[in-house]
Amino acid sequence: MTDDFLQNKMRIVQELVPGKQITLAHIIANPDDILYKKLGLDPAVDYSRSAIGIVTMSPSETAIIAGDIALKSSAVELGFVDRFSGTLIVTGNVSDVSASLTALVEYCENVLGFTVCAITKT
């Protein structure tokens, strides 16, 4: 092989090695009505006492487990769960959303051995 041939060839190896982590756990307290509508969430929710909880995690299939924990730990509604992107959205009142996010973050950290972020709130 010539040097010219070797210089013009580039080998690229791509590999996805997801960590076991929760990268975002955020509560939006009293969101504007338009945010619900833009996210495709149930407009029948009581906007004045409501909250949205957003969680992203890897591996993405963990969103299924997190959704189950969130539903069993408080009176939240499941807004969205995506096992391909690792996104979970729950809705309910602020205390229920907070309780569900706390329960799923603690489970992932203590039982599954995940690295987790702090739960943030706006």
Side-chain angles (χ1 to χ4, degrees):
M1 289 189 194
T2 67
D3 287 335
D4 187 42
F5 176 78
L6 292 175
Q7 290 176 353
N8 291 327
K9 287 287 193 177
M10 183 185 297
R11 181 175 177 194
I12 299 174
V13 177
Q14 293 181 326
E15 185 176 348
L16 175 62
V17 183
K20 291 173 26 175
Q21 60 187 339
I22 293 180
T23 54
L24 174 72
H26 186 76
I27 300 167
I28 302 171
N30 300 312
D32 289 337
D33 299 0
I34 192 68
L35 189 55
Y36 276 92
K37 293 174 186 168
K38 293 293 184 177
L39 289 173
L41 299 173
D42 186 0
V45 174
D46 177 11
Y47 295 121
S48 64
R49 294 183 344 147
S50 60
I52 299 172
I54 305 165
V55 183
T56 57
M57 59 204 74
S58 173
S60 58
E61 297 85 1
T62 309
I64 301 164
I65 298 166
D68 181 56
I69 293 167
L71 290 171
K72 290 177 177 175
S73 62
S74 68
V76 293
E77 295 289 326
L78 190 60
F80 178 76
V81 62
D82 187 350
R83 69 177 193 253
F84 300 109
S85 69
T87 302
L88 172 70
I89 297 176
V90 295
T91 61
N93 66 41
V94 175
S95 62
D96 284 333
V97 170
S98 180
S100 69
L101 265 59
T102 298
L104 72 88
V105 166
E106 287 177 357
Y107 181 86
C108 286
E109 182 176 29
N110 298 327
V111 177
L112 299 178
F114 275 40
T115 300
V116 300
C117 64
I119 298 172
T120 55
K121 182 177 170 181
T122 55

